[in-house]
Every structure is written in C-alpha cells, then in structure tokens.
Amino acid sequence: MGFEFSLGVFPVIMFFIGYYGLITSKKVITSVIFISLMEMSGIMFFLLLGYRVGMIPPIAPVGDAGFLTYNMEYIADPFPQALMITAIIIGIAVTAINLSMLITLCKQSKTSNWSELKKLYSEGDF
Amino acid sequence: MINILLIFWIISAIFIIREKKIYRMIIFLGIFSLINSAIFLVLGAPDVSLSEAAAGAFTTIFLIICLEKYYGFDESLVVTKKKEKTNFIKALLPIIFSGVLFLLFWYFMPPFTYNSYMKYQYLTYFNQDVGSHNPVTTVYLGYRVYDTLFEALILLVSVVAVKHVSWYSDSYVKDGEHSTIESNPIASYTIRAISPLVLLFGISMISVGLDTPGGGFQGGVVIASFFICRYMIYNVYDIPVKLITLIEKLIFVSIFLIPIFVVFVGLRTLVPETNLVVFQNIYIVLMNSLIGMKVTCGFVILFYRYIVVDRRTC
Amino acid sequence: MTELLVYFVLTPILIAVFMYLFSHANLGRLLAVLFQFGLVIASFLLFNYVNNSYSSVILNVGDYRGLLGISLGVDYISSLFVLITNFIFLMSTIYSYKEKDNKLFWFLMFVWQAAIVGVFLTRDLFNRFVLMEVGTMIITILIVYRRDNRKMYHSMLFLMINIVAVQFYMFGMGLIYMQTGVLDLYAAAARLSHLDISYLILPYALFMTFVAFKAALIPMSHWMPKALAASGAPSSFSAILAGIHITSGLYMFIRFSYMFNMINARPFFIVVGILTSIFSVIMAISAKNIKIILSYLTLSQIGLIIVAFNIGGIAYTGALFHTANQILFHGALFFAAGIIAHNYKTLNIHEIDGVWSVNKIAAIVTFVGLMGAMGIPFFNGNISMHLMFGYEGVDTQIIAWVINIGIIIASVRYGKIILGTPKEGIKAEKAIEKNIASLIIAFFCVLFGIGGSQIAYYVFNVNINIFSMPFLTNAIILTIVLVLSFIFTGKIKNDKVTNISRDLDVGFKGMVICIGIFFISILITTYLLN
C-alpha cells in the first residue's frame, strides 16, 4: 500500500481515463470508443507482469535444445498471452454487435445523444 | 524504453479524450491500437501483437463505416454544434470523481512483484505434452482447448447477432455503383497488385502457427481483408452469403468435434510413440486452419452486413 | 464417469447447431424435448451421486498434469443448481414448443443453457469470464427478439453496462494472477491465505463489484427490470433471466467469498442486502407493468438471501435452499405472467382483472408462486425462510419481519389480479403446452413446500422440527398478516405512488457512476473492517 510508482500504474491510469470518458460522453459512439480503451488497459496489465529489460518471446527455435537452458526469467510468459488473444477476440465481437445495434437504433430515432435517447425510450414502461 | 512507450500510450489516450470531432477520434483510436501493438512486441508477445494489429484495424474500419452510415449525409453533425457555456463545477465533478477512484486504486495496489509458478510449468512441459515449438499455441490448442471452443462460439454468436439486429433481409442485395476507389488508377492498381500477397501472407500465417508466431485467428483476419480488398477493386459483391453461413456452421461443428475426440476422449493416448510427433503436428495445423477459415467466414459476413446491405437506403 | 462431466456443457451446443441447421419439422422439436429430459435425468444422477458420497467430483479436462489444464468440479451446491437449471430449461422447452419462427430462438436457448451450466461447473477464473461473455451476448439478442426500437435501446444499454462491469473482473483476475501465479480458483485460495491481508483488499473489491452487479444489488439493480420489461421474446426467457442468471451471480458470490475467506466484509453486505430489499419492495408497490413488479419481487428475495449468506451458520444453509426455491417459484410466476399476457394482450396491471374466470390454470400457478414468495406454510418459501431467520437474534428477526411484511403487501397487490371480473372480449386461448409446463413447476413448488424438511435433511443435513414453538409462532403470525393485508390492500392506483418509479430512471452514465460509487464504498469499508 502507499503510492509507489511501478509499471502497473500505467494500465490503471488508462482504465480511469476510459472511465472518465464514459461518464462525460454525450454521444453513443464515443462511449463505444472509451469501452475499447478500458478493455485495452486490462489486457496491457496482464502482459506487463514480470517484465524485465531484454525479454525474448517464448518461441523455441526448431531443432534447438538450448532454448530451455536460457535463463527463464528473460523468457516471456506464454500463459497470459494465450488468454489475451481470446480477450481481444471477445472485444472485437462485442464491438461489432454494439455498432450494428447503434446503427439501427440511431437511424430509426434520428438522434445519437444519450439524453435524447433516454427521453424517447424510457417512458411508458412503468 | 518501456516507460517512454507507455507514456506515449497514455498521451494518445489523452488525445482521444480532448478531441471534439468524431472522425479525428477514430483516427486517434487507430494510432492507439498501433502503439498497443508496438508495446506488445517490446514486451515479448508477438502473437498478441499480431492479433491486436488485426483487431485494431477491424475496429477502426467498423467505426468508420458506422460513422458514415449514420452521419454520412450530414457533415455538421460530426462537429459539436453550440458553444454553450459549460458550468465550471459541472465540468470539474467527473474529473474529481475519477481522480478519487484512481488515487484509491493506486493506494491499495499491491507491490508489482510477480509469482511465476505457471510460467515455469508451461515452459518446462510444453514440448512433451503437445509437441509444438510455440508455447502460446500449445496453451490455447492443447491445454486450454476448452476455452478456445467457447471463443469460436462467441464469434458464431456475434455473427448471428449482427445478422439479427440489422433489420434488413437478404433480398436487398444489389451491386453498388462505381466506387471512388475504382476510378482512381493509382489506388486501384496498387490494391490489385498487393491483394494476392495479402492472401499468401494470411495462408502462411495460419500454417506456421505451429512453430513461430502466427496462428489461426491472425491469419483468418488477414484473409478476410483480402476479400475486402477484392470488394474495393471490383465493387461487385457476388459472394453467396447463405452458403458461407452454412459453411461456417459446419466448420464450427468440426472445431468442436475434433478436440472432443482427440483430447477429451483421449485418442492421443492411443497413438504409438513413433508417430506421436507427427500426429500432434497434424492436429495443431488442422485446428489452426479450421479456426482461420471460420474467422474468415465470420468476418466476411460481418463486413457484408455492414457495407452492402444498406446500400438502398443510403 | 468423471469424464462425462464436460459433456453437460458441450452437448447442448452441438444440439443447438444441429437444430439451427435442421429444425424444420416437428421431429426436431420433439428430439429437443427428449434431449432436455435426458439432461435432467443425467443431472439428477449426478446430484444423487454427489450427495450420497459426500465428496466432490473433479475432472481435469484433457487429463493434463497439474494445473496446466482447466478443471471442472461439482460439489453439493453446484449439483443442486445444475439440476434446477436443467429442469427449468426443460420446462421452457415445453412452454415454447409451438413458437413460430423458432430456429434462432432454440439455438440461443441451448447455447445459453451450455453457458450457464458451464459457469456452475468450472473452477477456472478465465473460463468463467469467457462463459459470462457468451451469456451476455445471448441475452442481448433475446431482448431484441421482436423488432422494436425501445427494446433495442434497452438491449444496447444492457450490453454496454455489462462490458464495463466485466473489465473490473478482468483487472481483479490480473491482480490475483500477479500475486499467486495461478488462475484456478481453489489453488489461488490456498495460496492467498499466506499473503498479507492488506494486499488482498483491492482484488476483493474488484471481484465483489462485479458480483454485486451480476446479482443486481442496490446501486446497480437498475438493469434488471429494464431487461425484463421486454415482452418480445417468449416468457420463458424472462423466467430464466430472472431466476437463473441472477443465481449465477449469487453462486459467484459464494465462490469468491470462499476464495477470500480471510477478509471480513459481512456488515457491509448485510446493509446492502437490506437496502436492496427495501428499495425493491417500494418499487414493486409502485410499478405498473406486471413483469416489472415480478422482477422487483425477485430482487427483494435476492436482498434477503445476501443478508442470510453473510450472517453465517444455519442461515447460510437456509440461503442456499432459498435460492433453489426462488428459482422455482419465480419460474412459476413468470410462466403464468406469460400466459396472462398472451390472453389479455397487455401488461398493465390496472387492465388485468379476473384471471380466475379467464384461465384457471394461470390463476392457480400464480397463487402457488405468490404463496411461495411470501413464505406461507406448506408452500416452498416457508422452510427456507425459517432456516434463514428463525434461529437468529431479535434484531435480525425484526428486520426480516419488516421486509417480509413489505413483500406480503406487494404480493397481495399483484395477486388481486386473480379476483374481479375481466373486461369484455377477453377469451382464453388454449395453449396446452404452456399450461402443462406451468402446472409441473407449480407441482414442484408445492412438493418442495410440503416435503421441505425432508429435502433440507437429505441435501444439507439440517434437522428441522416443524412442530417446534418458534416455527409455529412464525406460521401463525404470517397467516394473520396475510389475511389483514388481503382485506386492506387494493391495487394502489394512486398516482403519486406510481410516479416514484418513473422519476428514478438513470441513463447509461448514471449506471457507470453507480458502479464507481459501489466500488469506492466497498473498498473503504473493507479497509476499515480489516
């Protein structure tokens, strides 16, 4: 605890930049952009773990037995990389659905402000 | 070095916030995605860097298409209209709220030391258990193939969702007018020359996913961009969408069945020792190609629903 | 036998794709019902096995060494939830048997079933994340199943706010991986107990923010009535969303409380649960749409369950039993509401009267469900309510009574639609499959009520003496309150009351701010309590 500065602070800054953008965005399409920022901050956090200067990617050269004798602290971690590929794919899929819903909705209602959409569609339910 | 890159990363995000025109925001998002890709490479993650480059390109394309579909007929809508006098307190409150959240988060954050138990496990055993030279591929196709099945499911569901949510039926298809790219000779000839190379690059990325950075997803996205290039050159959209949807579902079924038989039921334990390496290599290359084909079909259908179907109402 | 655990999740997906490609004739639907029936039998066998052998079943998918693969695990809690989930999905399949244009609907239902059962079975944190994303996307499509602008707005709101909430979960996962080096829940729990407790406050706050969002606790309970107000998709979708989707949030609450069992944040959650119940009871009294009233009734039950989880001891067991019960009686209520909406063609409570003379089966099922929600003896809410609050101190009992009286008033208000005379021109449309499905669920509600003590003994090893003094006193007081509120409560048409719910609408920005407020409060409270 306490305010020490490490590499992990940068994804947190990005997370809250995205959060601030979500609170203050007036149009729907800017919210989608800031959600992308928040996703990228989470992914970057996973990949920054265990960083040392001079890291090599975890690819073993074909026919080389010397890979495993390399100092394991300087080989990047393959586990978060595989998970983050999945997370990036999920991010694209969700953005695609979001944008197609946005196109249909905003074309039908001719506006794309959050406050105007709220006035149009939030009454009469209760 | 990494600190400087991360500071550039934050600065590009601040540019996105301070920008008022939406076109410029999307371009800055593309730059943000490029910086992401570069940072992932410096951190020693070439697979993630390739995926992020492909994903960032597609997100930027989708955003620009969305912007043009909705705003394209009215330029003034992309600029903030009235210069209303914003209340100073009202503008300050979100900054204070986010700032308080950020400071609390930073205060409680544990020290950034790293417990690398799983890393040593994966790096020690990956060659014996799955038999490739790229540990990332062994993780998502060998050890955690259960997750990859759901990732393929997510792509399928998102294609179904986009088809259901955009309210135009397939009968609205017709070929568009001549696009501006086709009339511009330099762009048109350049794309014509490059697109076979793009296809070749995509196929090679899928097939070398066994031993070097690459893999099914990245190659699939690149091949999908080949089809988009073809649309931009000829502006004729004769792709049979119903056939591609059917093919996508069949590929999805085979993506499910092959790991069930090989990994879960345990066919791989029945293979004799001498053939084991060949069997594992065939399994990985087959799964990578299937995933690549599925991603291609999915993205081509998405692009189709975004671009072509709306032509009549533009 | 253990290897078959993974097929609970994989076979629904394969059947879903098969039905999407080949579901033209009635044969496909019949096969789907048979397949669901087979799944229910398989989960019942699993449930019996786990309860008889008092052990958990763990499967390492693919049989890889150590923690390198993903593991699936079942214990008595997850097997109960898996059984009830498969049962409700079987009932929904029967309920929507005659849906027209149903190729997409059945595909989505089966994939949703696989995702929810996957969340109950998995022991890995990242796998849970992927499965929850699948569930979110499917709910998004099901909200806009019929084309309507208003539902498109609500669906977009639902998707975006869920993505924002899941980023908190992702950050929490990153912090856990940083400190323990594994992502398996039980292995991480074992390693976390050796760490300094001040390092665990932030991951705990992040995870609990996400779990509270999923379970719709107080600042963030706004997405649930909006998602349920959609009358486009068949009513079985509302039953599953209100019953099982929220239960997956409660299930994650149980697992994460186990993972962080060295952190004590019980007073915070007790307060949050009480506030949720009070808030939802007030909104249930003032809402006009019958599905929204039912969703607020669900939320009040969820608030009580969260309070009971955090009291501990016997109340914990009662809360588990009550979760299972509330899936059943809310399923019954929503199915009956679907039949009523189908007959009356409106969802406004002021226009619905006299259900007993229009459709007797819907009236019976509604009656059974409401009795279960109120906790009347011989119906299923009773034993679990008694377990939750009957053994505790006086102050807890007073709070529980206050909330229970509110629930009774709201339920009686809803129940008045059974009486009265209907408007002209309302005729009952015969829908045999819906009647059968609703009656079966109501039958199981009564069964759980009458045989409640035997079930509590068999599953949870708790002995209840139904002839003991506190139990009988509670039963008598409940009946008296019920009769009084029946006489004195009308349908509450006062406009000042019904406008409360209209003015409380926050938009997307408001919901994001509410998540932030909850995060700050849980962070500071956990720090102060530890």
Side-chain angles (χ1 to χ4, degrees):
Chain A
M1 301 220 292
F3 287 109
E4 30 193 70
F5 187 79
S6 58
L7 271 188
V9 181
F10 288 105
V12 177
I13 298 180
M14 178 66 72
F15 188 80
F16 287 107
I17 289 180
Y19 187 81
Y20 166 73
L22 277 183
I23 299 183
T24 61
S25 64
K26 295 193 181 46
K27 297 195 190 304
V28 183
I29 199 169
T30 47
S31 302
V32 177
I33 295 180
F34 288 123
I35 287 181
S36 264
L37 282 190
M38 285 176 88
E39 285 173 14
M40 280 302 137
S41 75
I43 292 176
M44 181 68 82
F45 184 78
F46 257 98
L47 292 172
L48 274 175
L49 298 174
Y51 175 71
R52 284 168 196 266
V53 182
M55 265 189 135
I56 67 167
I59 311 287
V62 181
D64 178 27
F67 175 66
L68 292 177
T69 62
Y70 202 88
N71 188 0
M72 277 217 189
E73 289 189 359
Y74 284 89
I75 305 180
D77 188 351
F79 185 43
Q81 293 181 20
L83 301 180
M84 288 309 116
I85 294 180
T86 307
I88 291 178
I89 296 179
I90 294 179
I92 298 189
V94 165
T95 310
I97 301 183
N98 227 346
L99 288 178
S100 59
M101 279 202 287
L102 195 156
I103 295 178
T104 315
L105 180 66
C106 294
K107 259 218 167 125
Q108 298 282 328
S109 48
K110 309 251 180 304
T111 175
S112 77
N113 256 338
W114 275 119
S115 36
E116 287 176 30
L117 278 176
K118 183 170 123 175
K119 263 188 261 192
L120 272 179
Y121 291 123
S122 280
E123 295 189 354
D125 268 344
F126 295 97
Chain B
M1 166 76 162
I2 187 74
N3 286 335
I4 301 179
L5 278 176
L6 283 171
I7 292 181
F8 274 135
W9 189 53
I10 305 274
I11 291 180
S12 68
I14 295 182
F15 271 131
I16 295 184
I17 290 203
R18 302 294 305 166
E19 190 52 58
K20 304 259 189 299
K21 302 195 184 182
I22 304 184
Y23 270 115
R24 290 190 194 170
M25 267 174 141
I26 298 180
I27 302 294
F28 278 125
L29 190 70
I31 297 179
F32 174 76
S33 156
L34 177 68
I35 296 183
N36 259 331
S37 215
I39 296 181
F40 291 156
L41 200 57
V42 170
L43 292 176
D47 282 305
V48 188
S49 169
L50 280 171
S51 312
E52 169 60 23
F58 260 89
T59 305
T60 315
I61 292 179
F62 284 155
L63 276 168
I64 292 187
I65 294 175
C66 168
L67 192 63
E68 179 161 336
K69 287 274 164 240
Y70 178 58
Y71 287 111
F73 53 88
D74 194 352
E75 260 304 315
S76 68
L77 279 178
V78 300
V79 187
T80 47
K81 307 179 270 243
K82 313 176 236 330
K83 275 290 181 192
E84 37 191 56
K85 190 116 172 35
T86 50
N87 199 353
F88 189 62
I89 308 280
K90 258 196 191 167
L92 207 53
L93 266 178
I95 301 185
I96 296 180
F97 186 61
S98 314
V100 164
L101 272 175
F102 165 64
L103 286 175
L104 274 178
F105 201 111
W106 190 9
Y107 182 70
F108 282 104
M109 206 155 135
F112 204 62
T113 56
Y114 166 61
N115 183 335
S116 48
Y117 174 71
M118 289 301 268
K119 170 166 133 176
Y120 290 142
Q121 295 277 311
Y122 278 118
L123 286 178
T124 317
Y125 294 117
F126 75 96
N127 205 9
Q128 303 165 250
D129 281 338
V130 188
S132 84
H133 288 273
N134 185 355
V136 182
T137 312
T138 62
V139 172
Y140 79 82
L141 281 184
Y143 293 113
R144 296 179 71 101
V145 69
Y146 186 65
D147 253 351
T148 310
L149 299 181
F150 292 116
E151 177 188 326
L153 181 66
I154 282 188
L155 281 174
L156 184 71
V157 169
S158 75
V159 167
V160 165
V162 169
K163 185 165 173 241
H164 187 73
V165 158
S166 52
W167 293 340
Y168 302 98
S169 64
D170 286 330
S171 59
Y172 277 81
V173 174
K174 72 178 205 154
D175 294 329
E177 308 87 20
H178 292 285
S179 73
T180 52
I181 292 188
E182 191 173 338
S183 58
N184 185 354
I186 297 183
S188 149
Y189 278 116
T190 316
I191 295 182
R192 238 179 262 216
I194 290 184
S195 45
L197 292 175
V198 168
L199 179 65
L200 206 58
F201 180 57
I203 295 180
S204 82
M205 257 213 298
I206 292 181
S207 47
V208 300
L210 178 66
D211 289 329
T212 54
F217 172 69
Q218 296 91 328
V221 174
V222 173
I223 298 183
S225 62
F226 163 73
F227 284 104
I228 298 180
C229 288
R230 187 172 170 272
Y231 170 74
M232 285 203 292
I233 305 172
Y234 296 115
N235 205 10
V236 161
Y237 222 76
D238 53 356
I239 291 196
V241 173
K242 286 210 183 350
L243 185 63
I244 293 190
T245 326
L246 183 66
I247 290 178
E248 188 189 5
K249 301 238 169 24
L250 291 174
I251 294 179
F252 176 73
V253 171
S254 41
I255 290 182
F256 251 72
L257 288 177
I258 292 181
I260 288 181
F261 284 119
V262 171
V263 176
F264 300 155
V265 172
L267 269 182
R268 64 190 174 103
T269 50
L270 297 178
V271 177
E273 276 298 321
T274 47
N275 296 340
L276 190 63
V277 175
V278 174
F279 177 78
Q280 286 168 339
N281 286 356
I282 291 179
Y283 165 71
I284 290 185
V285 172
L286 185 64
M287 284 295 291
N288 261 336
S289 338
L290 283 176
I291 292 180
M293 285 198 286
K294 182 186 186 324
V295 169
T296 310
C297 296
F299 272 86
V300 162
I301 297 178
L302 273 181
F303 182 70
Y304 169 82
R305 297 303 297 198
Y306 267 83
I307 286 275
V308 176
V309 177
D310 262 352
R311 271 288 159 137
R312 268 187 62 163
T313 60
C314 253
Chain C
M1 175 64 187
T2 321
E3 292 84 29
L4 297 179
L5 205 57
V6 75
Y7 296 108
F8 273 107
V9 184
L10 291 182
T11 27
I13 300 182
L14 286 174
I15 301 286
V17 180
F18 172 76
M19 293 241 348
Y20 191 80
L21 294 173
F22 302 118
S23 82
H24 300 298
N26 269 336
L27 183 65
R29 292 182 227 175
L30 191 62
L31 280 177
V33 173
L34 285 175
F35 166 71
Q36 290 278 21
F37 193 63
L39 266 182
V40 170
I41 293 184
S43 26
F44 186 67
L45 289 173
L46 179 70
F47 175 71
N48 261 340
Y49 176 74
V50 169
N51 271 321
N52 284 336
S53 60
Y54 291 108
S55 62
S56 341
V57 177
I58 301 182
L59 162 75
N60 202 344
V61 176
D63 236 354
Y64 290 105
R65 73 187 79 211
L67 289 167
L68 289 178
I70 300 180
S71 355
L72 303 179
V74 190
D75 62 350
Y76 71 102
I77 303 177
S78 14
S79 65
L80 178 66
F81 286 153
V82 167
L83 174 64
I84 294 190
T85 307
N86 281 334
F87 173 70
I88 297 275
F89 269 97
L90 169 66
M91 290 302 129
S92 316
T93 315
I94 298 179
Y95 187 89
S96 348
Y97 197 75
K98 296 218 174 90
E99 266 303 300
K100 297 188 295 291
D101 186 20
N102 63 354
K103 199 165 66 161
L104 177 67
F105 177 72
W106 287 51
F107 171 76
L108 291 173
M109 287 300 236
F110 278 107
V111 174
W112 199 11
Q113 178 176 11
I116 294 182
V117 172
V119 168
F120 285 141
L121 287 180
T122 184
R123 290 159 61 110
D124 185 78
L125 287 176
F126 191 76
N127 198 16
R128 196 163 293 182
F129 163 72
V130 174
L131 286 167
M132 283 189 299
E133 294 284 311
V134 175
T136 305
M137 284 209 273
I138 290 182
I139 297 178
T140 311
I141 308 176
L142 279 173
I143 296 182
V144 278
Y145 192 68
R146 309 262 181 248
R147 300 176 171 180
D148 187 276
N149 283 343
R150 174 168 301 152
K151 288 158 206 146
M152 181 79 82
Y153 170 70
H154 291 327
S155 162
M156 196 166 73
L157 212 63
F158 177 84
L159 181 67
M160 289 170 87
I161 198 68
N162 260 292
I163 301 301
V164 171
V166 104
Q167 301 311 317
F168 282 83
Y169 181 78
M170 179 99 123
F171 240 103
M173 247 195 329
L175 284 169
I176 292 291
Y177 183 65
M178 178 170 92
Q179 294 177 281
T180 63
V182 291
L183 272 185
D184 183 71
L185 201 139
Y186 291 87
R191 286 154 200 257
L192 279 176
S193 48
H194 301 305
L195 289 177
D196 187 4
I197 208 174
S198 62
Y199 297 155
L200 298 180
I201 296 181
L202 186 64
Y204 180 75
L206 286 168
F207 276 124
M208 284 309 166
T209 310
F210 175 71
V211 161
F213 176 82
K214 267 292 187 179
L217 297 180
I218 182 65
M220 301 176 283
S221 56
H222 200 69
W223 58 269
M224 172 130 156
K226 296 288 184 153
L228 276 173
S231 61
S235 190
S236 42
F237 156 71
S238 319
I240 298 176
L241 182 64
I244 301 181
H245 188 74
I246 303 274
T247 308
S248 65
L250 288 174
Y251 177 77
M252 283 193 283
F253 180 79
I254 301 175
R255 295 300 186 207
F256 290 142
S257 302
Y258 167 73
M259 187 159 101
F260 286 102
N261 57 1
M262 69 291 294
I263 292 188
N264 172 32
R266 287 158 202 252
F268 177 75
F269 276 107
I270 292 180
V271 169
V272 165
I274 293 175
L275 285 177
T276 310
S277 295
I278 295 180
F279 170 73
S280 351
V281 160
I282 295 178
M283 299 293 269
I285 294 179
S286 67
K288 278 198 287 204
N289 188 337
I290 54 173
K291 288 201 177 167
I292 295 188
I293 299 178
L294 287 177
S295 71
Y296 279 122
L297 274 178
T298 314
L299 283 181
S300 56
Q301 303 283 336
I302 301 281
L304 285 178
I305 291 176
I306 294 273
V307 170
F309 267 139
N310 283 298
I311 294 179
I314 289 198
Y316 181 87
T317 316
L320 284 175
F321 193 29
H322 197 68
T323 315
N325 279 334
Q326 68 103 15
I327 298 180
L328 281 178
F329 57 70
H330 279 116
L333 281 171
F334 272 103
F335 277 11
I339 299 181
I340 293 175
H342 190 63
N343 285 334
Y344 282 76
K345 312 250 182 300
T346 175
L347 281 176
N348 194 347
I349 196 174
H350 300 307
E351 296 171 16
I352 299 181
D353 266 312
V355 177
W356 174 254
S357 44
V358 172
N359 191 341
K360 294 203 172 14
I361 294 184
I364 295 176
V365 173
T366 312
F367 176 73
V368 167
L370 284 177
M371 288 290 154
M374 292 191 271
I376 306 293
F378 297 120
F379 291 94
N380 57 352
N382 186 32
I383 301 277
S384 39
M385 281 278 209
H386 178 67
L387 279 175
M388 285 205 288
F389 295 113
Y391 293 97
E392 301 302 321
V394 180
D395 45 355
T396 328
Q397 288 217 351
I398 291 181
I399 298 177
W401 269 114
V402 166
I403 298 180
N404 220 359
I405 291 177
I407 294 181
I408 291 180
I409 295 180
S411 310
V412 166
R413 174 190 184 221
Y414 181 78
K416 289 272 175 152
I417 63 173
I418 299 182
L419 305 173
T421 54
K423 291 197 178 125
E424 302 85 35
I426 310 282
K427 51 184 192 317
E429 303 179 12
K430 277 291 173 201
I432 298 186
E433 73 277 1
K434 300 194 185 189
N435 293 343
I436 291 180
S438 323
L439 271 180
I440 295 181
I441 294 194
F443 168 70
F444 271 97
C445 283
V446 176
L447 189 71
F448 267 49
I450 298 181
S453 35
Q454 275 89 355
I455 294 182
Y457 178 64
Y458 176 62
V459 179
F460 300 108
N461 282 331
V462 174
N463 249 329
I464 307 173
N465 186 3
I466 61 171
F467 295 109
S468 62
M469 206 47 206
F471 190 82
L472 286 178
T473 337
N474 281 346
I476 294 176
I477 298 182
L478 262 179
T479 324
I480 295 179
V481 171
L482 173 64
V483 169
L484 280 177
S485 61
F486 184 76
I487 298 175
F488 290 114
T489 312
K491 272 227 204 137
I492 310 186
K493 295 197 188 200
N494 190 2
D495 263 337
K496 257 190 301 201
V497 176
T498 54
N499 274 340
I500 298 177
S501 41
R502 184 179 307 192
D503 299 331
L504 267 180
D505 185 14
V506 295
F508 175 69
K509 284 192 270 191
M511 287 204 245
V512 174
I513 295 179
C514 288
I515 296 184
I517 294 176
F518 187 84
F519 177 65
I520 291 184
S521 43
I522 191 172
L523 195 57
I524 297 183
T525 320
T526 318
Y527 174 61
L528 290 175
L529 285 174
N530 288 297

